[in-house]
Amino acid sequence: MSSKESCRNELRTAIRQLTDRCLYSASKWAAEQLVGIEQDPAKFTPSNTRFQRGSSSIRRRFRTNEITSTPPTGVAYVSTPVMEEDEVIHGDFYLLAKSYFDCREYRRAAHVLRDQTGNKSVFLRCYALYLAGEKRKEEEMIELEGPLGKSDAVNRELVSLERELSSLCKNGMIDPFGLYLYGLVLKEKGNENLARKVLVESVNSYPWNWSAWSELQSLCTTVDILNGLNLSNHWMKEFFLASVYQELRMHNESLSKYENLQGTFTFSNYIQAQIAKARYSLREFEQVEVIFEDLLRNDPYRVEDMDTYSNVLYTKECFSALSYLAHRVIMTDKYRPESCCIIGNYYSLKGQHEKSVIYFRRALKLNKNYLSAWTLMGHEYVEMKNTPAAVDAYRRAVDINPRDYRAWYGLGQAYEMMGMPHYALHYFRKSVFFQPIDSRLWIAMAQCYESEQLHMLEEAIKCYKRAANCNDTEAIALHRLAKLHRELGYPEEAAFYYRKDLERMEAEEREGPNIVEALMFLATHYKAQKRFEEAEVYCTRLLDYTGPERETAKSLLRGMRMAQSSFPSMDVEHFHP
Amino acid sequence: MAGVLKAPGAFAITPHKVSVCVLVQIYASPSQISIPFPFSSVSQHNRLGLYLLALTKSCDDILEPKLEQLISQLREIGGLLDHWLTDHLTSRLSSLSSPDDLFNFFNDMRGVLGGPDSGVMEDDQVILDPNSNLGMFLRRCILAFNLLTFEGICHLLTNIGIYCKEAISSCSSYELRRLDDSDIEVFADPKSEHNDKGRESSSYSSSGDLLRDVDLNGGVFLRTNWQIQGYLMEQADAIEKDGSSFTLNAFELTLRQLQKLAPELHRVHFLRYLNSLYHDDYFSALENLHRYFDYSAGTEGFDFVPPAGCNSFGRYEIALLCLGMMHFHFGHPKQALEVLTEAVRVSQQHSNDTCLAYTLAAICNLLSEIGFSTTSGILGSPFSPMTSVGTSLSVQQQLFVLLKGSLKRAESLKLKQLVAANHLAMAKFNLTHVQRPLLSFGPKTSMKLRTCPVTVCKELRLGYHLISEFCCEGSTMTTDGAFSTAWLKNLQKPVGSLVLSQDNSSRDNSNPFLFCTQPSSIPGSVLQLVGSSYLHRATAWEIYGSAPLARVNALVYATCVADASSSSDAALVHVKLIQHLAVFKGYEEAFSALKIAEEKFLSVSKSRILILKLQLLHERALHRGHLKLAQQVCDELGVLASSVTAVDMELKIEASLRHARTLLAAKQFSQAAAVAHSLFCMCYKFNLQVESATVLLLLAEIHLKSGNAVVGLPHALASLSYCQSFNLDLLRASATLTLAELWLSLGSNHTKTALTLIHGAFPMILGHGGLELCARAYIAEAKCYLSDPSFSVSDNPEVVLDPLRQASDELHVLEYHELAAEGFYLMAIVFDKLGQLEKREEAAASFKNHIMALENPQDGEDPLSNA
C-alpha cells in the first residue's frame, strides 16, 4: 500500500477536482476516506485528532490480525499521477453554471455552458443534462402511472448524450470524468459490455472517482466478469474488490480486503460499516452490534447501513435499542428508505405487522428496488397469514436480485404453509443453490421432504446430512437424522447420529429431552448388540434424569447384570475375542 | 399486488385518436351542401364514412397504427382525394404545437357534433348525431381529453410530435415543418441500435403484424388492460394451436417489450411460459410458470371470477395443474403424477371443484398416455375417497374409476368442453381395454371379456354433441379484447368479397378492405375437440380394421376442421392418410404425398412426419430386401423416443417391432424371437393388449418362417383370441391367415383346415386388407390347392392361376421381391404341370428377376432414402 501521506495528498487533490465537477457523492466518499487515514500523532495536536477518538477500544477487541501498512508482497502499485487541471481559464461561465447546478437548476447550467469546449465544461454540461433527464424521468414515472403499472419512462437525454460522448471518445477528446458519464449512459441504455470497458478506462486513468467504481461494481454480476476486467493496481482497486466480493457473497475474501485496508484507513467509517455488513452476512451478530454502536458514537447522524444494524437488533430482540435507533434516524431524515425499513423492523418486532407493512411500503415507494424491504415485507405478510401477498413480495425481491436466497426461502416457506410441499421444493432448491452453506435452508428443505404429504424420507436424510455438514447451530439436523434412521430401520446409522448429537449437546452444555432420547436409544441399542459395557455407561447416565426413563434404565441395567452373570462365557467371548 | 383485480383501464386519448378525430371532422364538416367540400361524389363520401367506422371499432386494439400506416390506408380509401386527405391530416397534426392548440382542437370537435336540439336540422345538412357510432367516439375523445391533467396534455403533445416525426422521417416526401435535423436523428437512432432485434421480429408472421411496431422508444401507445389481456389470450390460443409457428426469440422480444410497457401485467409471464414450453426450453418454462403464479396467484385476467366465499387464497392449485401438465409435456411422468396429486389435494382443500375436475382429467390423460406398471406409492391418500375400494386395483382399473369420477364431476359442474374431452378419453379407454368387474369376489356373473365397439361409438358421439351446444349458444366464449384484435386483422386482410364498391378508383381493386367478416362463432377450442373426436373415430376404425371408414373420418377431419386444428393434430391426420396410401396404393404414391406433407409441416411438428417417413422407408427397404438400410432406419426410429422408461411407449414399441421384423427378414430367427419376446413382456407389463396381439402374431410368423410351426401355433391362437376380445377384425383376419399358413406347413393332410381358414378370412382381407395382406392370402390359397393331393391342376388351372396373378400384380406395386418370387415360382410350377412351356419360362424369368433384385439391392435410387 502506498504511504499514508501519499494517499492523503492524492485524496485531497481528488476531492477538489470531484467537487469542482459536482460529483458530490464521490467527493463525499473520498473525504470520508481522507479523514479515515490515521494521523501522525507527532505532527498533530490532540484537537486535530478529536474526530478520531473514542473508537480504539473496540478495534483492539476485534482486530483479528494486526494489520501493518506494508503492502502485500509482490503487488506493485502503479502510481497514477494526480491529474493536472487542464483548463487555465476558469471561465466565469463555468462559475455561473456550477452555481446553477448547485441550486439543482440543471438545464440552466447546461444552457450556460452551451458554447464552452473545455473538457471540464463539456463534462458539467453533459452531467447536468443527464441529471435533468433523470429528474424528468422520475416525474414522468409518476405522471404516467397507469393501471398496468408504471409506464416505460426513459431519460430522454440519453440518446443525444450517448452520441456526443461517443464521438468525443472516438476523437480521444474525453477525460476520465467524461468516460465515467459515458459509461453511466451506456449502462442505462443497456449496453453493458461497452459500459464496462469505458468505466475500466475511466478508473484506470482516474482511480479516485468512487462513483465510477460503484457503477463498475454494479456491472460485475459474476466472478468471471470480475476476472475479465483489466484493472491497473491502485489502492482504490482494493476498495473496489472488497465491495465486489461482498456483493458476490464472497464474504471472507471481502472481509480480509477490508481489514487490510484498515491498516491505512484506520478510522474510516465507511470501512467499518462494510465490515459490519460482511460480518452480518456471516451471522456474527455480536461483533456487528459492537461495531455499529461504535460507528454511531462517532457518526451519530448516519443513516446509511443502519438498516443492517436494525436487522441485528431485531434478531437479538433488543426492543428499546431498536426503538432508540428508529427515533434517531427519523429525526435525522424521515424520507430515507433505510429509516422506513428500521421503523418497519421495530413494528415487526412488536408484533404490529400491519403497521410494519405500511413502513416497508413507504421504503419501497422511495426506492422501488430496495431488495431487503421486499423480503422483509414478505415476512410480515407471512406473519399476517396473507400468503398470496407474501409470495408476491418475495417474488419481486427475487426478480430484482435472483441471487437473494432469503426471498427464495421465503417463497418456499409460504408455499409449504399453504400445504403445497412439492411446489415449495422448487423454491427451496433455488435457495440452497445460492446459499449452500446455510444449514437452516437445508433443514427447511428436509422438513418439506419429511412432510406428511410427500414422505420422501431418503431425500430428507440427504438434506439433513448437508445441514449437519454446514454448522447447524440449532442442532436440529443430527437429531432428525438419528430419528429418521431409526424409523427407517437402520439402527447402526441411528446410533452413529445419536452419538454425534450427544457429543454435540455435551460440548454445548445443552439440556433437554433430546439428551434423554439419545441416551435411551443408545442404551437399548448397545444392549441389543450385546455391547454391555457401552450400554451400561449410557444407562448410568440416564439415572441422572428423572422420569420414566430412569426406571427403564434401571431395569435395563438389572437385565444386563443378570445376562452377564448367567452367561459368563459369552461375556468373555465378547470382550476378549 | 396479488389478489387485487385492477379495473380495466379507461379510454385514453392518443395521437391516433386525434388523427381519427381530424378525419371525422373532414367527413362531417358542417356545411349546407349535401356533399361537403373535398368530396366529389356521394360514394366517395360514404367510403370515408365506412372506413372511419371501421377505424373507431378497431380503436380497441392493443397497439395503434402509426401515422404512416394510417396514411397508406387512406390512400387505398381516398381514391383521388388521398393527397388532399393526407396533406390535411398531417398539416392539422403538425399545427398542434402548444397545449392551447389542443384545447382549441377539441373545442372545434364539439362543433362537429350536433347539439341536443339538432332534430330541427335541414335534410341535406351533414351533421354528426351524438348518439351515432362516430358521434359516440368523438364524445369519448372529448371527455377523455377533458379529464386529462395538464401533465397529461403535455404528454399528449409530445406523443403527437413523435407520431408525426416517425411518419415523416420514414417517408421523406412530406415537407418537414418545425423539425430540425437533430431531433429527427434522436428518434432515428434507437432504431439502428435495435436493428438486429428488428430483423428477428420480421421473421415471424402471425403474431408479428400486430406488434411489429413496438419500439423501445416512445411512439408506442398501449391500450387498456382489457385489450391487452384479449391480445394475450389470443396469442396463447395461437401458441397452443401451433407453437412452432412462433419463433422463440421473436415472440420473447415482443413479450419483453410488453412487459416493459406494462410491468404490472403478469399474464405476459404466462405467455412466456407457453412460448418456452412449445420450444422445449424446460428451465425457462419452469421459471416463468412459477413467476406467473407467484405474481398473480392465478387471479389475473378476465376469465377470473372471484370466488363466492371471498377466500383470499389465490388459485395456486391451478399452478399445480399447469406444472403437472408441463412435466407431462416434457416427459417426466413421475414428477407429473406427484404434482397432480398435490393439485388434487389442494383443490379439495380449497374446494375448487372445477380445478379438481380438470386435474382428474389430466391424471387420466397421463395414466393412459404413459405406461405405468404400478401407481402404488404415488396415487396415495387423496385418491382414496374416489377409489373407495382401495389401491389394490390395477392401474387400468384405477384409471377407469378415475375416468368415471372425472366425467361425473365435469357433468355436474357443467364444464362442457371437459365433458366432451372426458367422453373421448372414455372412448379411448373402451377401445383398448376389456372391462372387468372391479370386485373379484361374490358370485361370478357372466363376464363378457370383450371390448364393446358400441360403447366406443356412443362415447364418441357424446363427445361430438359439444358442437351443437356451442352452435346454439353463440359466441359467449369470445372475449372483447380478442374480438377487437380480430377487427383490425380483418381490416388488413385482403379478402375477395367486396363491401365497398371501388367504382371510380384509379387503382387496381386487388386490395379492398373487408370490414364485416366476423370471427367464427364457435370457439377454436371447441372445434379442436370436435376435430379430435374425428381423429378418435379414425383411430377406432383403424383398430377395428375398417380401412375405408378410417380414411373417411380422416378426410372429414382434414376438410372440415383442419383450419382450427392444432398443427400436431393436422400432422397426425396427414400421417394417417399417407399410411393408408402406402398400404393400398404402394410406396410411390405415398412418398409423393409425403413430400407435400413435409412441405406443409416444414417447421411444424416435424417429428410425426419424420417418424412416418422412417416407417415408410423401413417398410420399403424390407420389401426390397435392403436389410442394411432397414436396420439403419429402424435404429434412427428408436433414437427418436425419449430415454425415460414408459414415456413414448408407442414409438418404442414401433421401433422394436420393426427391429424384430428386420431380424426376421435377415433370417436371424432366434434373435428376432428374443426381441419380440421382450417386447411382449413389456406390453404385458404395461397392459398394452392391442399391441400384444400384434406382437404375438409376429412371434407366430417368426416361428413359421423358422420352420417351427408347432411352436408357432399357440402364438397364433393366442393372438387370435386377443383379436377376438378387442374386436380387432383385420388383425384377426391376418392372424387367421398366419394360422392357415402354419397348418399348411405341418403337412399336406392339413390343407383342408388351412383352406377353410383362408376362405373364412377372405371377405375381411379382400374388403379391408392392404396390398400385402391380399397378396399373401392369394398365394397361401394357391399353395393350399397345390399341396392338396386330391386337387388336380390340369382340371381347373384358373383356380390357382387367378389368385397367383392377382398376387403378382399387387406385389409388383409394393416391390415386395421375396413374396413376388414365390408367386412366380408357383406359377412356373403350375405352367409346367399344364405343359405350357413358354409361359413357364416367362414365369421363371420373372422369378429370377425378383430373386436377383432381392439379392442385389440397389441403393440410393431414391433421394428420400438419403435423408
Side-chain angles (χ1 to χ4, degrees):
Chain A
M1 197 143 301
S2 323
S3 78
K4 287 176 186 169
E5 199 51 42
S6 78
C7 282
R8 206 170 301 158
N9 289 334
E10 285 173 30
L11 280 171
R12 277 183 194 135
T13 322
I15 290 164
R16 257 196 312 280
Q17 287 165 337
L18 290 165
T19 316
D20 225 16
R21 285 170 179 78
C22 302
L23 290 164
Y24 294 123
S25 58
S27 82
K28 176 180 103 179
W29 187 90
E32 275 188 349
Q33 309 320 313
L34 176 63
V35 296
I37 302 175
E38 200 168 21
Q39 307 285 3
D40 189 350
K43 279 189 194 165
F44 293 93
T45 57
S47 66
N48 286 89
T49 53
R50 190 191 304 140
F51 192 77
Q52 299 175 337
R53 266 189 322 192
S55 51
S56 43
S57 61
I58 69 116
R59 278 207 185 92
R60 272 195 292 279
R61 262 167 69 194
F62 282 109
R63 190 179 295 173
T64 41
N65 46 342
E66 202 53 44
I67 311 291
T68 56
S69 53
T70 47
T73 47
V75 181
Y77 286 97
V78 288
S79 64
T80 313
V82 174
M83 205 174 64
E84 290 300 319
E85 288 297 341
D86 54 356
E87 276 163 271
V88 197
I89 326 135
H90 241 57
D92 300 340
F93 283 120
Y94 191 87
L95 290 176
L96 176 62
K98 188 168 179 311
S99 314
Y100 280 146
F101 191 104
D102 290 345
C103 296
R104 296 167 161 261
E105 298 186 62
Y106 301 122
R107 286 201 189 273
R108 271 180 110 180
H111 185 72
V112 167
L113 291 172
R114 64 194 178 281
D115 296 325
Q116 305 290 318
T117 50
N119 267 344
K120 228 165 107 178
S121 305
V122 170
F123 170 78
L124 191 64
R125 180 168 52 76
C126 292
Y127 190 45
L129 279 177
Y130 172 78
L131 287 182
E134 284 293 296
K135 194 173 145 214
R136 187 71 202 122
K137 183 176 100 181
E138 299 280 319
E139 289 162 2
E140 280 188 354
M141 262 155 78
I142 308 284
E143 287 168 21
L144 295 175
E145 197 170 11
L148 298 174
K150 291 205 168 121
S151 176
D152 183 32
V154 287
N155 184 337
R156 289 178 189 272
E157 304 297 332
L158 288 184
V159 181
S160 58
L161 281 177
E162 189 193 1
R163 202 177 55 234
E164 181 176 356
L165 289 169
S166 77
S167 77
L168 282 178
C169 191
K170 249 176 239 146
N171 302 332
M173 287 163 61
I174 197 163
D175 65 351
F177 300 103
L179 282 172
Y180 156 66
L181 188 59
Y182 186 33
L184 197 61
V185 169
L186 286 170
K187 185 191 147 200
E188 290 275 297
K189 295 215 69 184
N191 191 351
E192 299 200 343
N193 288 328
L194 188 56
R196 261 193 295 272
K197 201 176 138 251
V198 169
L199 285 169
V200 166
E201 207 179 317
S202 169
V203 295
N204 278 346
S205 49
Y206 189 86
W208 303 279
N209 181 1
W210 181 245
S211 300
W213 288 107
S214 314
E215 290 304 324
L216 190 57
Q217 185 237 286
S218 69
L219 290 171
C220 291
T221 42
T222 65
V223 182
D224 292 337
I225 294 179
L226 178 64
N227 294 336
L229 297 181
N230 182 21
L231 294 168
S232 43
N233 281 328
H234 185 271
W235 51 267
M236 283 291 285
K237 186 184 167 190
E238 303 297 305
F239 276 102
F240 168 71
L241 286 178
S243 164
V244 177
Y245 287 152
Q246 187 161 2
E247 211 51 41
L248 294 175
R249 304 197 169 285
M250 299 156 69
H251 300 301
N252 286 318
E253 289 85 345
S254 167
L255 208 54
S256 74
K257 282 270 176 221
Y258 279 127
E259 279 167 353
N260 222 344
L261 281 166
Q262 257 189 343
T264 310
F265 302 92
T266 322
F267 300 102
S268 163
N269 289 334
Y270 168 80
I271 293 178
Q272 220 179 329
Q274 298 312 309
I275 288 177
K277 274 159 82 176
R279 290 202 184 280
Y280 174 75
S281 305
L282 295 168
R283 307 181 58 74
E284 299 168 2
F285 297 136
E286 298 290 337
Q287 302 190 16
V288 179
E289 196 186 355
V290 177
I291 296 175
F292 273 121
E293 277 168 10
D294 188 49
L295 200 56
L296 272 182
R297 246 196 314 282
N298 291 328
D299 190 1
Y301 299 102
R302 188 186 177 96
V303 182
E304 271 170 280
D305 307 319
M306 283 303 130
D307 48 337
T308 311
Y309 184 34
S310 80
N311 289 344
V312 174
L313 294 177
Y314 180 90
T315 320
K316 298 189 73 193
E317 300 187 8
C318 303
F319 287 87
S320 73
L322 188 52
S323 76
Y324 179 70
L325 179 68
H327 186 209
R328 195 141 119 172
V329 291
I330 213 154
M331 298 311 276
T332 313
D333 191 348
K334 179 178 164 184
Y335 292 112
R336 285 278 284 269
E338 289 93 341
S339 315
C340 301
C341 198
I342 293 167
I343 301 167
N345 264 340
Y346 174 66
Y347 275 122
S348 171
L349 192 57
K350 294 294 271 184
Q352 300 191 15
H353 303 295
E354 286 83 358
K355 280 195 179 159
S356 163
V357 164
I358 291 173
Y359 281 95
F360 285 128
R361 274 189 182 286
R362 188 185 283 179
L364 288 166
K365 243 200 157 96
L366 293 167
N367 177 6
K368 202 174 57 169
N369 290 337
Y370 190 18
L371 192 64
S372 56
W374 281 118
T375 313
L376 292 172
M377 192 160 83
H379 294 336
E380 294 313 305
Y381 278 125
V382 167
E383 292 291 332
M384 289 159 68
K385 302 270 180 296
N386 185 353
T387 21
V391 165
D392 189 293
Y394 287 133
R395 173 46 86 170
R396 276 162 210 271
V398 295
D399 276 352
I400 292 167
N401 182 1
R403 306 170 64 86
D404 184 17
Y405 70 95
R406 265 169 294 230
W408 285 118
Y409 171 71
L411 277 169
Q413 268 190 323
Y415 280 111
E416 205 187 354
M417 264 172 61
M418 286 189 279
M420 296 162 72
H422 196 278
Y423 200 76
L425 279 175
H426 170 79
Y427 298 100
F428 285 130
R429 259 181 234 130
K430 284 260 178 194
S431 109
V432 293
F433 176 77
F434 290 116
Q435 183 76 350
I437 54 156
D438 194 330
S439 62
R440 291 166 306 162
L441 308 181
W442 285 109
I443 288 174
M445 190 154 149
Q447 281 166 346
C448 206
Y449 275 120
E450 250 192 298
S451 70
E452 185 191 353
Q453 294 98 327
L454 291 185
H455 208 69
M456 294 158 85
L457 299 183
E458 301 287 337
E459 282 80 1
I461 284 180
K462 281 179 204 158
C463 293
Y464 279 128
K465 277 187 184 158
R466 293 291 300 255
N469 286 342
C470 45
N471 189 29
D472 168 24
T473 45
E474 285 153 74
I476 297 170
L478 286 174
H479 181 240
R480 290 303 311 164
L481 274 173
K483 253 199 146 123
L484 279 177
H485 278 114
R486 194 176 72 182
E487 280 165 24
L488 289 173
Y490 304 121
E492 281 303 325
E493 285 83 353
F496 172 78
Y497 286 111
Y498 270 125
R499 228 168 27 229
K500 281 198 98 166
D501 195 25
L502 204 59
E503 280 163 21
R504 199 192 158 99
M505 285 187 282
E506 281 162 10
E508 291 172 10
E509 295 173 1
R510 281 174 195 255
E511 286 296 328
N514 285 356
I515 290 200
V516 180
E517 189 190 315
L519 289 172
M520 195 67 216
F521 177 83
L522 288 169
T524 23
H525 173 71
Y526 284 122
K527 191 191 165 219
Q529 295 268 305
K530 307 254 186 297
R531 289 161 70 175
F532 295 122
E533 206 162 288
E534 277 117 317
E536 231 179 279
V537 173
Y538 292 117
C539 282
T540 327
R541 283 191 59 186
L542 267 177
L543 295 179
D544 294 344
Y545 295 89
T546 52
E549 285 84 6
R550 185 187 167 141
E551 298 309 312
T552 323
K554 273 184 189 162
S555 71
L556 274 177
L557 272 175
R558 231 176 284 127
M560 276 189 286
R561 292 216 179 95
M562 294 235 310
Q564 274 169 303
S565 57
S566 54
F567 304 108
S569 58
M570 207 197 92
D571 177 47
V572 170
E573 207 175 286
H574 189 82
F575 287 106
H576 311 281
Chain B
M1 197 87 310
V4 180
L5 192 64
K6 291 196 182 71
F11 186 86
I13 188 88
T14 59
H16 172 69
K17 289 197 185 113
V18 174
S19 288
V20 178
C21 286
V22 173
L23 292 173
V24 170
Q25 199 183 21
I26 297 172
Y27 172 72
S29 63
S31 70
Q32 296 302 317
I33 43 171
S34 59
I35 303 168
F37 154 61
F39 302 98
S40 57
S41 70
V42 175
S43 74
Q44 208 175 33
H45 191 220
N46 285 346
R47 200 157 60 234
L48 181 67
L50 278 172
Y51 173 61
L52 287 175
L53 213 55
L55 270 187
T56 52
K57 289 215 171 187
S58 72
C59 257
D60 282 336
D61 188 48
I62 161 175
L63 287 174
E64 304 191 310
K66 292 183 171 183
L67 182 56
E68 197 187 325
Q69 291 167 311
L70 188 69
I71 288 174
S72 71
Q73 286 178 352
L74 272 179
R75 285 205 191 120
E76 304 290 334
I77 286 299
L80 296 170
L81 269 179
D82 72 337
H83 283 293
W84 191 89
L85 282 177
T86 50
D87 282 351
H88 186 83
L89 179 62
T90 45
S91 66
R92 190 81 180 89
L93 285 174
S94 47
S95 72
L96 298 170
S97 58
S98 73
D100 195 50
D101 292 341
L102 276 172
F103 274 106
N104 292 334
F105 175 78
F106 281 98
N107 260 338
D108 291 352
M109 284 299 127
R110 214 167 285 171
V112 175
L113 287 170
D117 53 345
S118 59
V120 292
M121 67 175 188
E122 291 163 46
D123 270 356
D124 51 355
Q125 190 186 1
V126 181
I127 205 153
L128 213 51
D129 179 358
N131 294 321
S132 66
N133 271 324
L134 292 184
M136 297 267 273
F137 175 77
L138 221 51
R139 280 162 60 200
R140 287 176 81 188
C141 287
I142 293 167
L143 180 64
F145 179 78
N146 288 339
L147 288 176
L148 283 181
T149 56
F150 191 77
E151 287 95 329
I153 295 172
C154 293
H155 281 294
L156 180 60
L157 201 62
T158 327
N159 287 339
I160 290 175
I162 294 165
Y163 177 74
C164 293
K165 266 177 230 158
E166 275 179 346
I168 291 164
S169 61
S170 65
C171 82
S172 53
S173 66
Y174 292 90
E175 81 177 292
L176 310 178
R177 283 188 196 207
R178 309 187 302 109
L179 299 171
D180 51 33
D181 291 345
S182 65
D183 272 340
I184 289 177
E185 246 184 292
V186 168
F187 293 105
D189 215 15
K191 276 189 190 148
S192 60
E193 205 207 304
H194 295 285
N195 237 351
D196 46 345
K197 290 177 185 171
R199 222 175 295 126
E200 266 181 300
S201 55
S202 64
S203 63
Y204 66 101
S205 54
S206 66
S207 64
D209 275 354
L210 273 167
L211 279 179
R212 66 163 177 236
D213 310 315
V214 181
D215 201 298
L216 291 180
N217 202 18
V220 178
F221 309 106
L222 264 188
R223 306 313 210 64
T224 60
N225 190 349
W226 207 250
Q227 292 148 4
I228 296 171
Q229 301 257 14
Y231 166 77
L232 289 180
M233 270 183 79
E234 203 185 49
Q235 295 301 304
D237 279 351
I239 293 188
E240 293 197 273
K241 200 175 128 187
D242 186 2
S244 39
S245 72
F246 284 73
T247 30
L248 176 67
N249 291 331
F251 192 53
E252 175 67 24
L253 183 72
T254 309
L255 291 174
R256 213 179 301 151
Q257 285 165 344
L258 202 54
Q259 197 198 349
K260 229 179 155 188
L261 292 167
E264 293 294 319
L265 182 73
H266 303 306
R267 186 155 285 230
V268 171
H269 298 303
F270 192 73
L271 270 283
R272 280 182 154 176
Y273 153 69
L274 287 179
N275 193 26
S276 23
L277 181 73
Y278 286 100
H279 288 96
D280 291 336
D281 184 345
Y282 171 72
F283 291 102
S284 160
L286 186 69
E287 209 36 61
N288 281 308
L289 180 72
H290 280 278
R291 180 173 290 133
Y292 171 66
F293 283 100
D294 284 348
Y295 270 131
S296 67
T299 57
E300 196 185 64
F302 31 32
D303 48 339
F304 171 64
V305 184
C310 207
N311 80 23
S312 62
F313 176 71
R315 298 198 300 180
Y316 294 104
E317 61 272 16
I318 296 176
L320 289 167
L321 177 57
C322 287
L323 186 64
M325 310 242 270
M326 188 197 90
H327 280 305
F328 181 29
H329 177 95
F330 282 112
H332 311 147
K334 191 166 169 286
Q335 280 104 314
L337 203 53
E338 281 167 2
V339 173
L340 289 174
T341 309
E342 190 157 291
V344 168
R345 198 178 47 240
V346 176
S347 307
Q348 283 172 338
Q349 214 170 312
H350 299 280
S351 32
N352 186 343
D353 290 334
T354 313
C355 184
L356 184 58
Y358 277 101
T359 310
L360 289 178
I363 292 175
C364 293
N365 196 10
L366 180 70
L367 287 181
S368 67
E369 285 288 311
I370 287 173
F372 281 99
S373 53
T374 169
T375 53
S376 65
I378 308 171
L379 288 182
S381 49
F383 291 90
S384 37
M386 272 160 289
T387 59
S388 50
V389 268
T391 47
S392 62
L393 302 174
S394 75
V395 180
Q396 265 58 38
Q397 283 165 320
Q398 285 193 27
L399 174 57
F400 180 70
V401 174
L402 279 175
L403 267 173
K404 281 235 152 162
S406 168
L407 187 60
K408 217 185 272 170
R409 251 164 218 283
E411 269 170 352
S412 68
L413 292 168
K414 299 205 168 50
L415 302 168
K416 286 171 193 161
Q417 300 202 28
L418 190 61
V419 170
N422 274 328
H423 279 303
L424 291 187
M426 203 64 170
K428 202 167 151 195
F429 182 85
N430 284 331
L431 188 62
T432 48
H433 295 98
V434 173
Q435 282 187 33
R436 288 167 196 276
L438 289 172
L439 298 175
S440 47
F441 55 83
K444 288 237 164 112
T445 48
S446 62
M447 284 193 293
K448 197 179 66 170
L449 285 179
R450 290 189 69 148
T451 59
C452 184
V454 179
T455 334
V456 175
C457 277
K458 211 173 82 191
E459 296 289 352
L460 284 172
R461 202 178 294 270
L462 284 171
Y464 186 77
H465 274 196
L466 178 73
I467 195 166
S468 53
E469 286 173 19
F470 272 95
C471 280
C472 308
E473 274 181 18
S475 60
T476 47
M477 290 280 292
T478 335
T479 45
D480 283 352
F483 206 65
S484 63
T485 325
W487 260 101
L488 193 83
K489 254 195 210 152
N490 289 332
L491 193 68
Q492 291 169 339
K493 200 168 21 178
V495 191
S497 70
L498 303 182
V499 175
L500 305 167
S501 61
Q502 301 272 311
D503 49 358
N504 52 359
S505 169
S506 58
R507 292 195 177 77
D508 58 317
N509 295 353
S510 64
N511 195 18
F513 290 100
L514 183 76
F515 295 140
C516 299
T517 319
Q518 300 286 325
S520 157
S521 61
I522 301 167
S525 55
V526 173
L527 275 182
Q528 273 185 38
L529 261 175
V530 169
S532 82
S533 115
Y534 276 108
L535 270 180
H536 274 83
R537 280 178 200 210
T539 315
W541 285 119
E542 244 169 48
I543 288 178
Y544 289 144
S546 171
L549 280 171
R551 182 159 166 271
V552 160
N553 277 303
L555 278 175
V556 168
Y557 179 92
T559 45
C560 295
V561 285
D563 291 340
S565 64
S566 70
S567 56
S568 71
D569 278 0
L572 180 62
V573 113
H574 277 78
V575 167
K576 285 194 188 303
L577 289 171
I578 291 169
Q579 273 171 340
H580 188 270
L581 269 185
V583 172
F584 288 90
K585 295 275 159 68
Y587 297 114
E588 210 157 302
E589 291 205 22
F591 274 114
S592 61
L594 179 66
K595 254 205 180 119
I596 299 169
E598 270 184 323
E599 274 162 28
K600 189 166 177 188
F601 297 100
L602 193 61
S603 57
V604 189
S605 65
K606 188 117 184 173
S607 58
R608 232 186 245 285
I609 299 285
L610 181 66
I611 290 168
L612 172 68
K613 185 171 156 184
L614 292 174
Q615 286 169 338
L616 290 180
L617 283 174
H618 181 255
E619 207 100 337
R620 191 176 65 174
L622 275 190
H623 283 168
R624 286 183 174 176
H626 299 191
L627 295 184
K628 274 220 174 100
L629 177 66
Q631 187 52 48
Q632 188 192 328
V633 171
C634 189
D635 290 343
E636 277 180 41
L637 200 60
V639 169
L640 291 178
S642 154
S643 58
V644 181
T645 323
V647 181
D648 288 342
M649 294 290 285
E650 210 179 321
L651 193 54
K652 280 176 186 163
I653 291 172
E654 175 90 28
S656 71
L657 207 58
R658 284 179 187 276
H659 183 47
R661 275 195 207 290
T662 316
L663 289 170
L664 175 61
K667 304 219 175 347
Q668 302 180 4
F669 298 115
S670 59
Q671 289 174 45
V675 171
H677 181 73
S678 69
L679 181 57
F680 178 74
C681 292
M682 184 167 91
C683 290
Y684 185 80
K685 182 178 166 195
F686 291 113
N687 247 313
L688 303 164
Q689 279 135 338
V690 174
E691 287 78 3
S692 298
T694 318
V695 180
L696 283 171
L697 183 56
L698 176 65
L699 271 170
E701 274 170 39
I702 291 169
H703 292 304
L704 170 68
K705 293 261 167 78
S706 65
N708 281 326
V710 182
V711 190
L713 272 177
H715 284 114
L717 287 170
S719 172
L720 212 54
S721 88
Y722 266 113
C723 291
Q724 235 154 358
S725 316
F726 290 91
N727 293 297
L728 314 172
D729 291 351
L730 187 61
L731 194 65
R732 184 176 160 198
S734 170
T736 316
L737 181 59
T738 307
L739 191 62
E741 287 170 331
L742 283 165
W743 280 119
L744 192 59
S745 66
L746 281 177
S748 55
N749 44 346
H750 295 294
T751 45
K752 274 272 169 326
T753 325
L755 206 54
T756 323
L757 283 170
I758 291 174
H759 283 160
F762 249 139
M764 190 64 205
I765 290 177
L766 295 184
H768 297 278
L771 296 172
E772 186 188 342
L773 191 60
C774 291
R776 255 183 66 202
Y778 282 131
I779 288 176
E781 191 198 14
K783 271 162 100 178
C784 281
Y785 282 123
L786 289 177
S787 58
D788 186 357
S790 63
F791 177 79
S792 147
V793 181
S794 46
D795 286 352
N796 36 7
E798 284 308 307
V799 171
V800 197
L801 279 177
D802 189 44
L804 285 176
R805 271 192 214 108
Q806 292 262 13
S808 69
D809 285 350
E810 282 157 1
L811 293 170
H812 178 72
V813 178
L814 278 182
E815 305 170 64
Y816 192 171
H817 296 310
E818 196 184 354
L819 206 57
E822 194 176 348
F824 282 115
Y825 174 77
L826 292 175
M827 232 190 269
I829 288 173
V830 173
F831 284 127
D832 186 51
K833 280 191 181 161
L834 292 174
Q836 299 179 359
L837 296 185
E838 207 170 297
K839 287 192 171 170
R840 185 193 73 186
E841 286 312 309
E842 208 177 296
S846 296
F847 166 77
K848 200 179 158 196
N849 282 343
H850 280 292
I851 290 293
M852 299 276 280
L854 186 63
E855 280 170 359
N856 305 306
Q858 286 154 329
D859 283 323
E861 58 187 87
D862 194 301
L864 279 169
S865 58
N866 304 338

